[in-house]
Amino acid sequence: QVQLVESGGGLVQAGGSLRLSCAASGNSLSSYAMGWYRQAPGKQRDLVATITSGAMATYADSVKGRFTISRDNAKNSVHLQMSSLKPEDTAVYYCNVQRKSGVVTYNYWGQGTQVTVSS
């Protein structure tokens, strides 16, 4: 079983920066893909960034050049450095881990951390 705990959210002015962290307990996650999603009020949960076990990162177009995802396998953690924040980045941010077993994909989620960007 994988348990994820996010931290680092908060209130920041537009143009500011925040760093989100997600600590995982349970098995080592070094072979799993990890990522960040976000959900604004009244909207669906959307992908923000993912990073593979080989540290290959992908980003949503809306955050490219502003956000950086990284992972620390020794500490079983994943981070999201957010810069040049915009009011439209306001959302609850969720950490995600994907474990694949054959053709089945298991998704694990954290409880979420609120990010609010004021204009």
Side-chain angles (χ1 to χ4, degrees), residues 19 26 28 30 42 53-54 58 63 75 83 103 111 116:
R19 186 173 188 257
S28 169
S30 60
S53 58
T58 59
V63 307
K75 295 183 178 180
S83 302
V103 298
Q111 82 287 352
T116 303

Short mmCIF file of all heavy atoms in Angstrom, two decimals, residues 19 26 28 30 42 53-54 58 63 75 83 103 111 116:
data_model
loop_
_atom_site.label_atom_id
_atom_site.label_comp_id
_atom_site.label_asym_id
_atom_site.label_seq_id
_atom_site.Cartn_x
_atom_site.Cartn_y
_atom_site.Cartn_z
N ARG A 19 6.84 25.77 -3.67
CA ARG A 19 7.39 24.43 -3.91
C ARG A 19 6.53 23.41 -3.17
O ARG A 19 6.43 23.46 -1.95
CB ARG A 19 8.84 24.33 -3.45
CG ARG A 19 9.51 23.00 -3.80
CD ARG A 19 10.98 23.06 -3.45
NE ARG A 19 11.73 21.89 -3.93
CZ ARG A 19 12.12 20.89 -3.16
NH1 ARG A 19 11.82 20.91 -1.86
NH2 ARG A 19 12.79 19.88 -3.66
N GLY A 26 5.50 3.40 2.57
CA GLY A 26 5.20 2.09 2.01
C GLY A 26 6.38 1.60 1.18
O GLY A 26 7.53 1.85 1.51
N SER A 28 9.13 1.16 -1.85
CA SER A 28 9.95 2.09 -2.63
C SER A 28 9.22 2.40 -3.94
O SER A 28 8.68 1.51 -4.60
CB SER A 28 11.31 1.46 -2.94
OG SER A 28 11.99 2.25 -3.89
N SER A 30 10.70 3.95 -6.54
CA SER A 30 11.71 4.29 -7.55
C SER A 30 11.35 3.77 -8.93
O SER A 30 11.80 4.32 -9.94
CB SER A 30 13.08 3.78 -7.13
OG SER A 30 13.06 2.36 -6.99
N GLY A 42 -15.24 23.35 -9.37
CA GLY A 42 -16.16 23.17 -10.47
C GLY A 42 -15.55 22.60 -11.73
O GLY A 42 -16.22 22.52 -12.77
N SER A 53 10.08 6.79 -13.91
CA SER A 53 11.12 6.23 -13.05
C SER A 53 12.51 6.60 -13.56
O SER A 53 13.46 6.69 -12.78
CB SER A 53 10.98 4.71 -12.98
OG SER A 53 11.04 4.14 -14.28
N GLY A 54 12.61 6.87 -14.85
CA GLY A 54 13.88 7.29 -15.44
C GLY A 54 14.06 8.80 -15.47
O GLY A 54 14.95 9.30 -16.16
N THR A 58 7.16 15.33 -18.19
CA THR A 58 6.23 15.92 -19.14
C THR A 58 5.37 16.93 -18.40
O THR A 58 5.13 16.78 -17.19
CB THR A 58 5.33 14.87 -19.80
OG1 THR A 58 4.57 14.19 -18.78
CG2 THR A 58 6.13 13.84 -20.58
N VAL A 63 1.68 25.04 -18.05
CA VAL A 63 2.70 25.26 -17.02
C VAL A 63 4.12 25.12 -17.55
O VAL A 63 5.08 25.33 -16.81
CB VAL A 63 2.50 24.30 -15.83
CG1 VAL A 63 1.08 24.39 -15.28
CG2 VAL A 63 2.85 22.86 -16.20
N LYS A 75 14.54 9.40 -0.98
CA LYS A 75 13.61 9.87 0.05
C LYS A 75 12.16 9.56 -0.29
O LYS A 75 11.25 10.01 0.40
CB LYS A 75 13.79 11.37 0.26
CG LYS A 75 15.16 11.75 0.81
CD LYS A 75 15.26 13.24 1.06
CE LYS A 75 16.62 13.61 1.66
NZ LYS A 75 16.74 15.06 1.92
N SER A 83 6.85 28.51 -10.42
CA SER A 83 7.30 29.89 -10.50
C SER A 83 6.38 30.67 -11.41
O SER A 83 5.59 30.10 -12.16
CB SER A 83 8.74 29.94 -11.05
OG SER A 83 9.62 29.19 -10.24
N VAL A 103 -1.46 -5.54 -17.19
CA VAL A 103 -2.27 -4.59 -17.94
C VAL A 103 -3.07 -3.67 -17.01
O VAL A 103 -3.81 -2.80 -17.47
CB VAL A 103 -3.24 -5.31 -18.91
CG1 VAL A 103 -2.46 -6.10 -19.94
CG2 VAL A 103 -4.19 -6.22 -18.14
N GLN A 111 -3.92 13.58 -0.28
CA GLN A 111 -5.15 14.25 0.16
C GLN A 111 -5.32 15.62 -0.47
O GLN A 111 -6.39 16.20 -0.40
CB GLN A 111 -5.15 14.39 1.70
CG GLN A 111 -4.37 15.57 2.25
CD GLN A 111 -2.88 15.40 2.17
OE1 GLN A 111 -2.36 14.33 1.81
NE2 GLN A 111 -2.14 16.46 2.50
N THR A 116 -3.34 28.93 -3.69
CA THR A 116 -4.15 30.09 -4.05
C THR A 116 -3.22 31.21 -4.50
O THR A 116 -2.31 31.59 -3.76
CB THR A 116 -4.99 30.56 -2.87
OG1 THR A 116 -5.83 29.48 -2.41
CG2 THR A 116 -5.88 31.73 -3.27
#
